[in-house]
Coordinates of all heavy atoms in Angstrom, one line a residue:
M1 N -62.0 -62.8 33.5 CA -63.3 -62.8 32.9 C -64.3 -63.5 33.7 O -64.1 -64.6 34.2 CB -63.2 -63.5 31.5 CG -64.4 -63.3 30.6 SD -64.1 -63.6 29.0 CE -64.4 -65.4 28.9
Q2 N -65.6 -62.9 33.8 CA -66.6 -63.5 34.7 C -67.3 -64.6 34.0 O -67.7 -64.4 32.8 CB -67.5 -62.4 35.1 CG -68.6 -62.9 36.1 CD -69.5 -61.7 36.4 OE1 -69.5 -60.7 35.8 NE2 -70.4 -62.0 37.5
R3 N -67.6 -65.7 34.6 CA -68.3 -66.8 34.0 C -69.8 -66.6 34.0 O -70.3 -66.3 35.2 CB -67.9 -68.1 34.7 CG -68.5 -69.3 34.1 CD -68.1 -70.6 34.8 NE -68.8 -71.7 34.4 CZ -69.9 -72.1 35.1 NH1 -70.3 -71.6 36.2 NH2 -70.6 -73.2 34.6
R4 N -70.5 -66.6 33.0 CA -71.8 -66.4 32.9 C -72.5 -67.8 33.1 O -72.1 -68.7 32.4 CB -72.4 -65.7 31.7 CG -71.8 -64.3 31.6 CD -72.6 -63.6 30.6 NE -72.1 -62.2 30.6 CZ -72.9 -61.2 31.0 NH1 -74.1 -61.4 31.4 NH2 -72.4 -60.0 31.0
P5 N -73.6 -67.8 33.9 CA -74.3 -69.2 34.0 C -75.0 -69.5 32.8 O -75.6 -68.7 32.0 CB -75.3 -68.9 35.2 CG -75.3 -67.4 35.3 CD -74.1 -66.8 34.7
I6 N -75.0 -70.9 32.5 CA -75.6 -71.3 31.2 C -77.2 -71.3 31.3 O -77.8 -71.1 30.3 CB -75.1 -72.7 30.9 CG1 -75.5 -73.1 29.5 CG2 -75.7 -73.8 31.9 CD1 -74.8 -74.2 28.9
L7 N -77.7 -71.3 32.6 CA -79.1 -71.3 32.7 C -79.7 -69.9 32.3 O -80.8 -70.0 31.7 CB -79.5 -71.5 34.2 CG -80.9 -71.6 34.5 CD1 -81.5 -72.9 33.8 CD2 -81.2 -71.7 36.0
A8 N -79.0 -68.9 32.5 CA -79.5 -67.5 32.0 C -79.5 -67.5 30.5 O -80.5 -67.0 29.9 CB -78.6 -66.4 32.5
F9 N -78.5 -68.0 29.8 CA -78.5 -68.1 28.4 C -79.6 -69.0 27.8 O -80.4 -68.6 26.9 CB -77.1 -68.6 27.9 CG -77.0 -68.8 26.4 CD1 -77.0 -67.7 25.6 CD2 -77.0 -70.1 25.9 CE1 -76.9 -67.8 24.2 CE2 -77.0 -70.2 24.5 CZ -76.9 -69.2 23.7
I10 N -79.8 -70.2 28.4 CA -80.8 -71.1 27.9 C -82.2 -70.5 28.1 O -83.1 -70.7 27.3 CB -80.6 -72.6 28.6 CG1 -79.4 -73.1 28.3 CG2 -81.8 -73.4 28.3 CD1 -79.2 -73.6 26.8
S11 N -82.4 -69.8 29.2 CA -83.6 -69.2 29.5 C -84.0 -68.2 28.4 O -85.1 -68.1 28.0 CB -83.6 -68.6 30.8 OG -84.8 -67.9 31.1
K12 N -83.0 -67.3 28.0 CA -83.3 -66.3 27.0 C -83.5 -66.9 25.7 O -84.4 -66.5 24.9 CB -82.1 -65.4 27.0 CG -82.0 -64.5 28.2 CD -80.8 -63.6 28.2 CE -80.8 -62.9 29.6 NZ -79.5 -62.3 29.8
V13 N -82.8 -68.0 25.4 CA -83.1 -68.7 24.0 C -84.5 -69.3 24.1 O -85.2 -69.3 23.1 CB -81.9 -69.7 23.8 CG1 -82.3 -70.6 22.6 CG2 -80.6 -69.1 23.5
A14 N -84.8 -69.9 25.2 CA -86.2 -70.5 25.4 C -87.3 -69.5 25.2 O -88.3 -69.7 24.7 CB -86.2 -71.2 26.7
I15 N -87.1 -68.3 25.8 CA -88.1 -67.2 25.6 C -88.3 -66.8 24.2 O -89.4 -66.7 23.7 CB -87.7 -66.0 26.5 CG1 -87.9 -66.3 28.0 CG2 -88.5 -64.8 26.1 CD1 -87.4 -65.3 28.8
I16 N -87.2 -66.7 23.4 CA -87.3 -66.4 22.0 C -88.0 -67.5 21.3 O -88.9 -67.3 20.5 CB -85.9 -66.1 21.4 CG1 -85.4 -64.8 22.1 CG2 -86.0 -66.0 19.9 CD1 -83.9 -64.5 21.8
A17 N -87.6 -68.8 21.5 CA -88.2 -69.9 20.9 C -89.6 -70.0 21.2 O -90.5 -70.4 20.4 CB -87.4 -71.2 21.2
N18 N -90.0 -69.7 22.5 CA -91.4 -69.9 22.9 C -92.3 -68.7 22.2 O -93.4 -69.0 21.9 CB -91.6 -69.7 24.4 CG -91.1 -71.0 25.1 OD1 -91.3 -72.0 24.6 ND2 -90.5 -70.8 26.3
L19 N -91.8 -67.6 22.0 CA -92.4 -66.5 21.3 C -92.7 -66.9 19.9 O -93.8 -66.7 19.3 CB -91.8 -65.2 21.4 CG -91.7 -64.6 22.8 CD1 -90.9 -63.4 22.8 CD2 -93.2 -64.3 23.3
V20 N -91.7 -67.5 19.3 CA -91.9 -68.0 17.9 C -92.8 -69.2 17.9 O -93.6 -69.3 16.9 CB -90.5 -68.4 17.3 CG1 -90.6 -69.0 15.9 CG2 -89.6 -67.2 17.2
Y21 N -92.9 -70.0 18.9 CA -93.8 -71.1 19.0 C -95.2 -70.5 19.0 O -96.1 -71.0 18.3 CB -93.6 -71.9 20.3 CG -94.6 -73.0 20.5 CD1 -94.5 -74.2 19.9 CD2 -95.6 -72.8 21.4 CE1 -95.4 -75.2 20.1 CE2 -96.6 -73.8 21.6 CZ -96.5 -75.0 20.9 OH -97.4 -76.0 21.1
L22 N -95.5 -69.5 19.8 CA -96.8 -68.8 19.8 C -97.2 -68.3 18.5 O -98.3 -68.4 18.1 CB -96.8 -67.7 20.9 CG -96.8 -68.3 22.4 CD1 -96.7 -67.1 23.3 CD2 -97.9 -69.2 22.7
L23 N -96.2 -67.7 17.8 CA -96.4 -67.1 16.5 C -96.7 -68.2 15.5 O -97.6 -68.1 14.7 CB -95.2 -66.3 16.0 CG -95.2 -65.6 14.7 CD1 -96.3 -64.5 14.8 CD2 -93.9 -65.1 14.3
S24 N -96.0 -69.3 15.5 CA -96.3 -70.4 14.6 C -97.7 -71.1 14.9 O -98.4 -71.5 14.0 CB -95.2 -71.5 14.7 OG -95.1 -72.1 16.0
T25 N -98.0 -71.2 16.2 CA -99.4 -71.7 16.5 C -100.4 -70.7 16.0 O -101.5 -71.2 15.6 CB -99.5 -71.9 18.0 OG1 -98.4 -72.7 18.5 CG2 -100.8 -72.5 18.4
L26 N -100.2 -69.5 16.1 CA -101.1 -68.5 15.6 C -101.3 -68.6 14.1 O -102.4 -68.6 13.6 CB -100.7 -67.1 15.9 CG -101.5 -65.9 15.5 CD1 -102.8 -65.9 16.3 CD2 -100.8 -64.6 15.7
F27 N -100.2 -68.9 13.4 CA -100.2 -69.1 11.9 C -101.0 -70.2 11.5 O -101.5 -70.3 10.4 CB -98.8 -69.1 11.3 CG -98.2 -67.8 11.2 CD1 -96.8 -67.7 11.3 CD2 -98.9 -66.6 11.0 CE1 -96.2 -66.4 11.1 CE2 -98.2 -65.3 11.0 CZ -96.9 -65.3 11.0
L28 N -101.0 -71.3 12.4 CA -101.8 -72.5 12.1 C -103.3 -72.2 12.1 O -104.0 -72.9 11.4 CB -101.5 -73.6 13.1 CG -100.0 -74.2 13.0 CD1 -99.8 -75.2 14.2 CD2 -99.9 -74.9 11.7
F29 N -103.7 -71.3 12.9 CA -105.1 -71.0 13.0 C -105.6 -69.8 12.1 O -106.7 -69.7 11.7 CB -105.5 -70.6 14.4 CG -105.4 -71.8 15.3 CD1 -104.5 -71.8 16.3 CD2 -106.3 -72.8 15.2 CE1 -104.3 -72.9 17.2 CE2 -106.1 -73.9 16.1 CZ -105.1 -73.9 17.0
I30 N -104.7 -69.0 11.6 CA -105.0 -67.9 10.7 C -104.4 -68.3 9.3 O -103.3 -68.2 9.0 CB -104.3 -66.6 11.1 CG1 -104.7 -66.2 12.5 CG2 -104.5 -65.5 10.1 CD1 -104.1 -65.0 13.1
T31 N -105.4 -68.9 8.5 CA -105.0 -69.4 7.2 C -105.0 -68.4 6.1 O -104.4 -68.6 5.1 CB -105.9 -70.6 6.8 OG1 -107.3 -70.0 6.8 CG2 -105.9 -71.7 7.8
W32 N -105.7 -67.2 6.3 CA -105.7 -66.2 5.3 C -104.4 -65.4 5.2 O -104.2 -64.7 4.2 CB -106.9 -65.3 5.5 CG -106.8 -64.6 6.9 CD1 -107.4 -65.0 8.0 CD2 -106.1 -63.4 7.2 NE1 -107.2 -64.1 9.0 CE2 -106.4 -63.1 8.6 CE3 -105.3 -62.5 6.5 CZ2 -105.8 -62.1 9.2 CZ3 -104.8 -61.4 7.2 CH2 -105.0 -61.1 8.5
M33 N -103.6 -65.5 6.2 CA -102.3 -64.7 6.3 C -101.3 -65.4 5.4 O -100.8 -66.5 5.6 CB -101.9 -64.6 7.7 CG -100.9 -63.6 8.0 SD -100.8 -63.4 9.8 CE -99.8 -62.0 9.8
K34 N -100.8 -64.7 4.4 CA -99.8 -65.2 3.5 C -98.5 -64.7 3.8 O -98.3 -63.4 3.8 CB -100.2 -64.9 2.0 CG -101.6 -65.4 1.6 CD -101.6 -67.0 1.6 CE -103.0 -67.4 1.1 NZ -103.2 -68.8 1.4
I35 N -97.5 -65.5 4.1 CA -96.1 -65.2 4.4 C -95.2 -65.9 3.5 O -95.6 -67.0 3.0 CB -95.8 -65.4 5.9 CG1 -96.0 -66.9 6.2 CG2 -96.5 -64.5 6.8 CD1 -95.5 -67.1 7.6
P36 N -94.1 -65.4 3.2 CA -93.1 -66.0 2.3 C -92.7 -67.4 2.8 O -92.7 -67.6 4.0 CB -91.9 -65.1 2.2 CG -92.4 -63.8 2.6 CD -93.6 -64.0 3.5
R37 N -92.5 -68.3 1.9 CA -92.2 -69.7 2.2 C -91.0 -69.9 3.2 O -91.0 -70.7 4.1 CB -92.0 -70.6 1.0 CG -91.8 -72.0 1.2 CD -91.9 -72.7 -0.1 NE -91.7 -74.2 0.2 CZ -91.0 -75.0 -0.5 NH1 -90.3 -74.5 -1.6 NH2 -90.9 -76.2 -0.2
D38 N -89.9 -69.1 2.9 CA -88.7 -69.3 3.7 C -88.9 -68.9 5.1 O -88.5 -69.5 6.0 CB -87.6 -68.5 3.1 CG -87.1 -69.0 1.7 OD1 -87.3 -70.2 1.5 OD2 -86.5 -68.2 0.9
I39 N -89.7 -67.8 5.3 CA -90.0 -67.3 6.7 C -90.9 -68.3 7.4 O -90.7 -68.5 8.5 CB -90.6 -65.9 6.6 CG1 -89.6 -64.9 6.1 CG2 -91.1 -65.4 8.0 CD1 -90.1 -63.5 5.8
A40 N -91.8 -68.8 6.6 CA -92.8 -69.8 7.2 C -92.0 -71.0 7.7 O -92.3 -71.6 8.8 CB -93.8 -70.2 6.2
Q41 N -91.1 -71.5 6.9 CA -90.3 -72.7 7.2 C -89.4 -72.3 8.4 O -89.2 -73.2 9.4 CB -89.4 -73.1 6.1 CG -90.2 -73.8 5.0 CD -89.4 -74.1 3.7 OE1 -88.2 -73.6 3.6 NE2 -90.0 -74.9 2.9
F42 N -88.8 -71.2 8.6 CA -88.0 -70.9 9.7 C -88.8 -70.8 11.0 O -88.4 -71.3 12.0 CB -87.3 -69.4 9.4 CG -86.6 -68.9 10.7 CD1 -85.4 -69.4 11.0 CD2 -87.2 -67.9 11.4 CE1 -84.7 -68.9 12.1 CE2 -86.5 -67.4 12.5 CZ -85.3 -68.0 12.9
I43 N -90.0 -70.2 10.9 CA -90.9 -70.1 12.0 C -91.3 -71.4 12.5 O -91.4 -71.8 13.6 CB -92.1 -69.1 11.7 CG1 -91.6 -67.7 11.6 CG2 -93.2 -69.3 12.7 CD1 -92.7 -66.7 11.1
A44 N -91.7 -72.3 11.5 CA -92.1 -73.7 11.8 C -91.0 -74.5 12.5 O -91.3 -75.1 13.6 CB -92.6 -74.4 10.6
V45 N -89.8 -74.4 12.0 CA -88.7 -75.2 12.6 C -88.3 -74.6 14.0 O -88.2 -75.4 15.0 CB -87.5 -75.3 11.7 CG1 -86.2 -75.8 12.4 CG2 -87.8 -76.0 10.4
M46 N -88.2 -73.3 14.0 CA -87.8 -72.8 15.4 C -88.9 -72.9 16.4 O -88.6 -73.1 17.5 CB -87.4 -71.3 15.2 CG -86.8 -70.7 16.5 SD -86.0 -69.2 16.2 CE -85.5 -68.8 17.8
G47 N -90.1 -72.7 16.0 CA -91.2 -72.7 16.9 C -91.7 -74.0 17.3 O -91.8 -74.4 18.5
L48 N -91.9 -74.9 16.3 CA -92.5 -76.2 16.6 C -91.5 -77.3 17.0 O -91.9 -78.3 17.6 CB -93.3 -76.6 15.4 CG -94.5 -75.7 15.1 CD1 -95.2 -76.2 13.8 CD2 -95.5 -75.7 16.3
E49 N -90.3 -77.1 16.5 CA -89.3 -78.2 16.9 C -88.2 -77.7 17.9 O -87.8 -78.5 18.7 CB -88.5 -78.6 15.6 CG -89.5 -79.3 14.6 CD -88.8 -79.7 13.3 OE1 -87.6 -79.8 13.3 OE2 -89.5 -80.0 12.4
L50 N -87.8 -76.5 17.8 CA -86.7 -76.1 18.7 C -87.2 -75.7 20.1 O -86.6 -75.9 21.1 CB -86.0 -74.9 18.1 CG -84.8 -74.4 18.9 CD1 -83.7 -75.4 18.9 CD2 -84.2 -73.1 18.2
A51 N -88.4 -75.1 20.2 CA -89.0 -74.6 21.4 C -89.2 -75.7 22.4 O -88.7 -75.6 23.6 CB -90.3 -73.8 21.2
P52 N -89.8 -76.8 22.1 CA -89.9 -77.9 23.1 C -88.6 -78.5 23.6 O -88.4 -78.7 24.8 CB -90.7 -79.0 22.4 CG -91.4 -78.2 21.3 CD -90.5 -77.2 20.9
F53 N -87.6 -78.6 22.7 CA -86.3 -79.1 23.0 C -85.6 -78.2 24.0 O -85.1 -78.6 25.0 CB -85.4 -79.3 21.8 CG -84.1 -79.7 22.1 CD1 -83.7 -81.0 22.5 CD2 -83.0 -78.8 21.9 CE1 -82.4 -81.4 22.9 CE2 -81.7 -79.1 22.2 CZ -81.4 -80.4 22.6
V54 N -85.6 -76.9 23.7 CA -84.9 -75.9 24.5 C -85.6 -75.8 25.9 O -85.0 -75.7 26.9 CB -84.9 -74.5 23.8 CG1 -84.4 -73.4 24.8 CG2 -84.0 -74.6 22.6
N55 N -87.0 -75.9 25.9 CA -87.7 -75.9 27.2 C -87.4 -77.1 28.0 O -87.3 -76.9 29.3 CB -89.3 -75.9 26.9 CG -89.7 -74.4 26.7 OD1 -89.1 -73.5 27.1 ND2 -90.8 -74.4 26.0
L56 N -87.3 -78.3 27.5 CA -86.9 -79.4 28.2 C -85.5 -79.3 28.7 O -85.2 -79.7 29.9 CB -87.0 -80.7 27.3 CG -88.4 -81.3 27.0 CD1 -88.3 -82.4 26.0 CD2 -89.0 -81.7 28.3
L57 N -84.6 -78.8 27.9 CA -83.2 -78.5 28.4 C -83.2 -77.5 29.6 O -82.5 -77.7 30.6 CB -82.4 -78.0 27.3 CG -80.9 -77.8 27.5 CD1 -80.2 -79.1 27.8 CD2 -80.2 -77.1 26.3
F58 N -84.0 -76.4 29.4 CA -84.0 -75.4 30.5 C -84.6 -76.1 31.8 O -84.0 -75.9 32.9 CB -85.0 -74.3 30.1 CG -85.3 -73.3 31.2 CD1 -84.3 -72.4 31.6 CD2 -86.5 -73.4 31.8 CE1 -84.6 -71.5 32.7 CE2 -86.8 -72.5 32.8 CZ -85.8 -71.6 33.3
A59 N -85.7 -76.8 31.7 CA -86.3 -77.5 32.9 C -85.3 -78.5 33.5 O -85.2 -78.6 34.7 CB -87.6 -78.1 32.5
L60 N -84.6 -79.2 32.7 CA -83.7 -80.1 33.2 C -82.5 -79.4 34.0 O -82.1 -79.9 35.1 CB -83.1 -81.0 32.1 CG -82.1 -82.1 32.5 CD1 -82.8 -83.2 33.3 CD2 -81.4 -82.7 31.3
I61 N -81.9 -78.4 33.4 CA -80.9 -77.7 34.1 C -81.4 -77.0 35.3 O -80.7 -77.0 36.4 CB -80.2 -76.7 33.1 CG1 -79.5 -77.4 32.0 CG2 -79.2 -75.8 33.8 CD1 -79.0 -76.5 30.9
L62 N -82.6 -76.5 35.3 CA -83.2 -75.8 36.4 C -83.4 -76.8 37.6 O -83.1 -76.6 38.7 CB -84.5 -75.1 36.1 CG -85.2 -74.4 37.2 CD1 -84.5 -73.1 37.5 CD2 -86.6 -74.1 36.7
F63 N -83.9 -78.0 37.2 CA -84.1 -79.1 38.2 C -82.8 -79.5 38.8 O -82.7 -79.8 40.0 CB -84.9 -80.2 37.5 CG -85.2 -81.4 38.4 CD1 -86.2 -81.1 39.5 CD2 -84.7 -82.6 38.4 CE1 -86.5 -82.1 40.3 CE2 -85.0 -83.6 39.2 CZ -86.0 -83.4 40.2
I64 N -81.8 -79.7 38.0 CA -80.5 -80.2 38.5 C -79.9 -79.1 39.5 O -79.4 -79.4 40.6 CB -79.5 -80.4 37.3 CG1 -80.0 -81.7 36.6 CG2 -78.1 -80.5 37.8 CD1 -79.2 -82.0 35.3
Q65 N -80.0 -77.9 39.1 CA -79.4 -76.8 40.0 C -80.3 -76.7 41.3 O -79.8 -76.4 42.4 CB -79.5 -75.4 39.3 CG -78.3 -75.3 38.3 CD -78.1 -73.9 37.8 OE1 -78.8 -73.0 38.1 NE2 -77.0 -73.8 37.0
F66 N -81.6 -77.0 41.2 CA -82.4 -77.0 42.4 C -82.1 -78.2 43.3 O -82.0 -78.0 44.5 CB -83.9 -77.1 41.9 CG -84.9 -77.1 43.1 CD1 -85.1 -76.0 43.8 CD2 -85.5 -78.3 43.5 CE1 -86.0 -76.0 44.9 CE2 -86.3 -78.4 44.6 CZ -86.6 -77.2 45.3
L67 N -81.8 -79.3 42.7 CA -81.4 -80.4 43.5 C -80.0 -80.2 44.2 O -79.7 -80.7 45.3 CB -81.4 -81.7 42.7 CG -82.7 -82.3 42.3 CD1 -82.6 -83.6 41.4 CD2 -83.6 -82.6 43.6
Q68 N -79.1 -79.6 43.5 CA -77.8 -79.3 44.0 C -77.8 -78.1 44.9 O -76.8 -77.8 45.5 CB -76.8 -79.0 42.9 CG -76.5 -80.2 42.1 CD -75.6 -79.9 40.9 OE1 -75.4 -78.8 40.5 NE2 -75.1 -81.0 40.2
K69 N -79.0 -77.5 45.1 CA -79.2 -76.3 46.0 C -78.3 -75.1 45.6 O -77.8 -74.5 46.5 CB -79.0 -76.7 47.4 CG -80.0 -77.7 47.9 CD -79.9 -78.1 49.4 CE -80.9 -79.1 49.7 NZ -80.8 -79.6 51.1
K70 N -78.0 -74.9 44.3 CA -77.3 -73.8 43.9 C -78.3 -72.6 43.7 O -79.4 -72.8 43.6 CB -76.7 -74.1 42.5 CG -75.6 -75.1 42.5 CD -74.9 -75.2 41.1 CE -73.8 -76.2 41.2 NZ -73.1 -76.3 39.8
E71 N -77.7 -71.5 43.8 CA -78.5 -70.2 43.7 C -78.9 -70.1 42.2 O -78.1 -70.2 41.3 CB -77.6 -69.0 44.1 CG -78.5 -67.8 44.1 CD -77.6 -66.6 44.6 OE1 -76.4 -66.8 44.9 OE2 -78.1 -65.5 44.5
I72 N -80.2 -69.8 42.0 CA -80.7 -69.6 40.7 C -81.0 -68.0 40.5 O -81.9 -67.5 41.1 CB -82.0 -70.4 40.5 CG1 -81.8 -71.9 40.7 CG2 -82.6 -70.1 39.2 CD1 -82.9 -72.8 40.7
N73 N -80.2 -67.5 39.7 CA -80.2 -66.0 39.4 C -81.0 -65.7 38.2 O -80.5 -65.3 37.2 CB -78.8 -65.4 39.4 CG -78.1 -65.5 40.7 OD1 -78.8 -65.4 41.8 ND2 -76.8 -65.7 40.6
L74 N -82.3 -66.0 38.2 CA -83.2 -65.7 37.1 C -84.4 -64.9 37.6 O -84.8 -65.2 38.7 CB -83.7 -66.9 36.5 CG -82.8 -67.7 35.5 CD1 -83.5 -68.9 35.0 CD2 -82.3 -66.9 34.4
P75 N -84.9 -64.0 36.8 CA -86.2 -63.4 37.2 C -87.3 -64.4 37.3 O -87.3 -65.4 36.4 CB -86.4 -62.3 36.1 CG -85.1 -62.0 35.5 CD -84.3 -63.4 35.7
Q76 N -88.2 -64.3 38.2 CA -89.2 -65.3 38.3 C -90.1 -65.4 37.1 O -90.6 -66.5 36.8 CB -90.1 -65.0 39.5 CG -89.5 -65.4 40.8 CD -90.4 -65.2 42.0 OE1 -91.4 -64.4 42.0 NE2 -90.2 -66.0 43.1
W77 N -90.3 -64.3 36.4 CA -91.3 -64.3 35.2 C -90.6 -65.1 34.2 O -91.3 -65.8 33.4 CB -91.5 -62.9 34.7 CG -90.4 -62.2 34.0 CD1 -89.4 -61.4 34.7 CD2 -90.0 -62.3 32.7 NE1 -88.6 -61.0 33.8 CE2 -88.9 -61.5 32.6 CE3 -90.5 -62.9 31.6 CZ2 -88.2 -61.3 31.3 CZ3 -89.9 -62.8 30.4 CH2 -88.7 -62.0 30.2
Q78 N -89.3 -65.2 34.0 CA -88.7 -66.0 33.0 C -88.9 -67.6 33.4 O -89.2 -68.4 32.4 CB -87.2 -65.7 32.9 CG -86.8 -64.6 32.2 CD -85.3 -64.4 32.1 OE1 -84.5 -65.1 32.6 NE2 -84.9 -63.4 31.3
T79 N -88.7 -67.9 34.6 CA -88.9 -69.3 35.0 C -90.3 -69.7 34.8 O -90.6 -70.8 34.2 CB -88.5 -69.5 36.5 OG1 -87.1 -69.0 36.7 CG2 -88.6 -70.9 36.9
F80 N -91.3 -68.9 35.3 CA -92.7 -69.2 35.1 C -93.1 -69.3 33.7 O -93.9 -70.2 33.2 CB -93.6 -68.2 35.9 CG -93.5 -68.3 37.4 CD1 -93.4 -67.2 38.1 CD2 -93.4 -69.5 38.0 CE1 -93.3 -67.2 39.5 CE2 -93.3 -69.6 39.4 CZ -93.2 -68.5 40.2
F81 N -92.7 -68.4 32.9 CA -93.0 -68.3 31.5 C -92.5 -69.6 30.7 O -93.3 -70.2 30.0 CB -92.4 -67.1 30.7 CG -92.8 -67.0 29.3 CD1 -94.1 -66.7 28.9 CD2 -91.9 -67.2 28.3 CE1 -94.4 -66.6 27.5 CE2 -92.1 -67.1 27.0 CZ -93.4 -66.9 26.6
N82 N -91.2 -69.9 31.0 CA -90.7 -71.1 30.3 C -91.3 -72.4 30.7 O -91.6 -73.3 29.9 CB -89.2 -71.1 30.5 CG -88.4 -70.0 29.7 OD1 -88.9 -69.6 28.7 ND2 -87.4 -69.6 30.2
I83 N -91.5 -72.5 32.0 CA -92.1 -73.8 32.5 C -93.6 -73.8 32.1 O -94.1 -74.9 31.8 CB -92.0 -73.9 34.1 CG1 -90.6 -74.0 34.5 CG2 -92.8 -75.1 34.6 CD1 -89.8 -75.2 34.0
G84 N -94.3 -72.7 32.1 CA -95.7 -72.7 31.7 C -95.8 -73.0 30.2 O -96.7 -73.7 29.7
M85 N -94.9 -72.6 29.4 CA -94.9 -72.9 28.0 C -94.6 -74.4 27.7 O -95.1 -75.0 26.8 CB -93.9 -72.0 27.1 CG -94.4 -70.6 27.0 SD -95.9 -70.5 26.1 CE -95.5 -71.2 24.5
L86 N -93.7 -74.9 28.5 CA -93.4 -76.3 28.4 C -94.7 -77.2 28.7 O -95.0 -78.1 28.0 CB -92.3 -76.8 29.4 CG -91.9 -78.2 29.4 CD1 -91.4 -78.7 28.0 CD2 -90.9 -78.5 30.5
V87 N -95.4 -76.7 29.7 CA -96.7 -77.4 30.1 C -97.7 -77.3 28.9 O -98.3 -78.3 28.5 CB -97.3 -76.9 31.4 CG1 -98.7 -77.3 31.6 CG2 -96.4 -77.2 32.5
V88 N -97.7 -76.2 28.3 CA -98.7 -75.9 27.2 C -98.2 -76.8 26.0 O -99.0 -77.4 25.3 CB -98.7 -74.4 26.8 CG1 -99.3 -74.2 25.4 CG2 -99.4 -73.6 27.8
Q89 N -97.0 -76.9 25.7 CA -96.5 -77.7 24.6 C -96.7 -79.1 24.8 O -97.1 -79.9 23.8 CB -95.0 -77.4 24.4 CG -94.7 -76.0 23.8 CD -93.3 -75.5 24.0 OE1 -92.4 -76.3 24.5 NE2 -93.0 -74.4 23.5
V90 N -96.5 -79.6 26.0 CA -96.8 -81.0 26.3 C -98.3 -81.3 26.2 O -98.8 -82.3 25.6 CB -96.3 -81.4 27.7 CG1 -96.8 -82.8 28.1 CG2 -94.8 -81.4 27.7
A91 N -99.1 -80.3 26.7 CA -100.6 -80.5 26.6 C -101.1 -80.5 25.1 O -101.9 -81.4 24.8 CB -101.3 -79.4 27.3
L92 N -100.6 -79.6 24.3 CA -100.9 -79.6 22.9 C -100.4 -80.8 22.1 O -100.9 -81.2 21.1 CB -100.4 -78.3 22.2 CG -101.2 -77.0 22.7 CD1 -100.6 -75.8 21.9 CD2 -102.6 -77.1 22.3
L93 N -99.3 -81.4 22.6 CA -98.8 -82.6 22.0 C -99.8 -83.7 22.1 O -100.0 -84.5 21.1 CB -97.5 -83.0 22.6 CG -96.8 -84.2 22.2 CD1 -96.3 -84.0 20.7 CD2 -95.7 -84.7 23.0
F94 N -100.5 -83.8 23.2 CA -101.5 -84.9 23.4 C -102.9 -84.6 22.9 O -103.8 -85.4 23.1 CB -101.5 -85.4 24.9 CG -100.2 -86.0 25.2 CD1 -99.3 -85.4 26.1 CD2 -99.8 -87.2 24.7 CE1 -98.1 -85.9 26.5 CE2 -98.6 -87.8 25.1 CZ -97.8 -87.2 25.9
I95 N -103.2 -83.4 22.5 CA -104.5 -83.0 22.0 C -104.6 -83.4 20.5 O -103.8 -83.3 19.7 CB -104.8 -81.6 22.2 CG1 -104.9 -81.3 23.6 CG2 -106.0 -81.1 21.4 CD1 -105.2 -79.8 24.0

């Protein structure tokens, strides 16, 4: 059985969490949109709480693999998107 790298898995989870983060940020600005309470709570928890944690985990693993000079088998758009979203999340944290 072939071992799959954990970085690829974390990257895909981070992309999903980042998309939900964008959706939850959109819901904060669109107040007229009424969604069911359970869905709103799921979106809030996954987007606002899970996305920054997963992004930090992704960036940490990426940095460690970079320092160990291991090959990083990820599409560049995934890396740029996840790191970019981490920067946006940190910037919005201080605003």
Side-chain angles (χ1 to χ4, degrees):
M1 187 161 92
Q2 185 181 12
R3 183 176 170 263
R4 295 197 176 247
I6 192 160
L7 186 65
F9 174 73
I10 297 292
S11 176
K12 291 173 185 167
V13 171
I15 287 172
I16 293 169
N18 286 329
L19 291 175
V20 175
Y21 176 82
L22 291 174
L23 184 66
S24 64
T25 306
L26 181 69
F27 284 152
L28 290 174
F29 292 111
I30 300 176
T31 57
W32 57 267
M33 202 169 184
K34 302 296 180 197
I35 56 174
R37 184 174 182 222
D38 293 336
I39 295 173
Q41 289 174 344
F42 173 77
I43 289 172
V45 168
M46 186 166 178
L48 298 174
E49 294 180 16
L50 184 66
F53 174 73
V54 174
N55 275 335
L56 283 173
L57 184 64
F58 171 77
L60 181 67
I61 293 172
L62 184 71
F63 184 66
I64 289 170
Q65 285 192 355
F66 179 75
L67 287 179
Q68 292 177 347
K69 297 182 181 178
K70 289 185 178 178
E71 184 179 355
I72 299 170
N73 292 327
L74 284 179
Q76 282 187 335
W77 70 268
Q78 282 184 357
T79 305
F80 290 139
F81 179 73
N82 288 331
I83 298 298
M85 286 301 299
L86 179 63
V87 170
V88 167
Q89 290 163 358
V90 169
L92 287 178
L93 180 68
F94 292 110
I95 290 179

